[in-house]
Amino acid sequence: MLDVLGEHPEAVEADLAHHYPGYGPGGPLAAFWRGEITLRWLRVMVEGLPPDGALARAAAGHPWTQADWSAADSRDLLELLFVAFSNVHRGETAQPIPWPKPSWRPGDPLPVDTTAAADEKRARARAAYEHINSQVLPGG
């Protein structure tokens, strides 16, 4: 039975209850324990779960679907095309537009993390500055 549910049994149960509501309270998993369906039929239902359900999100470790990845790729490509077009058609004295950075994807550091690191660096620099001032300035 545990082989059918895999590494994310709660996600499998949630998907089964969502996609097969006709089995009553508890969904197909409860129907199996009540003896209403076979283990084979339960396995077939689990293997047929959609690629954008709770199980897929749990296995991937993030909520992005294929559509999200495609949208991010399309956005990056449009930005590159816009910058390339703008740079080709800029005036002779105008500075070129820098190439854009790719948009955030799962696995990349969060923008909040980079902001926190910059704040910490500023705080350390400020503390070092105040330490030097306390040693150099009179009355410190």
Side-chain angles (χ1 to χ4, degrees):
M1 175 63 183
L2 291 177
D3 289 341
V4 173
L5 297 180
E7 296 179 17
H8 307 284
E10 292 85 7
V12 171
E13 186 176 1
D15 271 349
L16 287 172
H18 176 76
H19 294 288
Y20 301 102
Y23 286 93
L29 200 55
F32 168 76
W33 289 114
R34 290 190 302 260
E36 297 171 5
I37 63 173
T38 64
L39 183 60
R40 181 188 178 284
W41 183 238
L42 182 63
R43 181 185 54 79
V44 167
M45 283 191 271
V46 170
E47 289 177 358
L49 290 174
D52 61 347
L55 177 59
R57 290 190 305 271
H62 57 77
W64 276 39
T65 63
Q66 185 59 39
D68 296 324
W69 289 95
S70 296
D73 290 344
S74 297
R75 178 183 181 272
D76 290 345
L77 180 60
L78 282 173
E79 283 184 335
L80 286 172
L81 290 172
F82 174 76
V83 169
F85 182 84
S86 298
N87 282 338
V88 166
H89 296 300
R90 67 184 161 89
E92 293 180 18
T93 58
Q95 292 293 321
I97 299 172
W99 291 106
K101 294 181 181 176
S103 57
W104 181 88
R105 287 167 172 74
D108 293 347
L110 294 173
V112 175
D113 293 345
T114 57
T115 303
D119 290 345
E120 183 180 335
K121 185 177 178 181
R122 263 191 243 92
R124 283 195 314 261
R126 180 70 181 176
Y129 172 77
E130 290 173 357
H131 177 69
I132 291 171
N133 279 344
S134 69
Q135 293 178 351
V136 175
L137 295 177

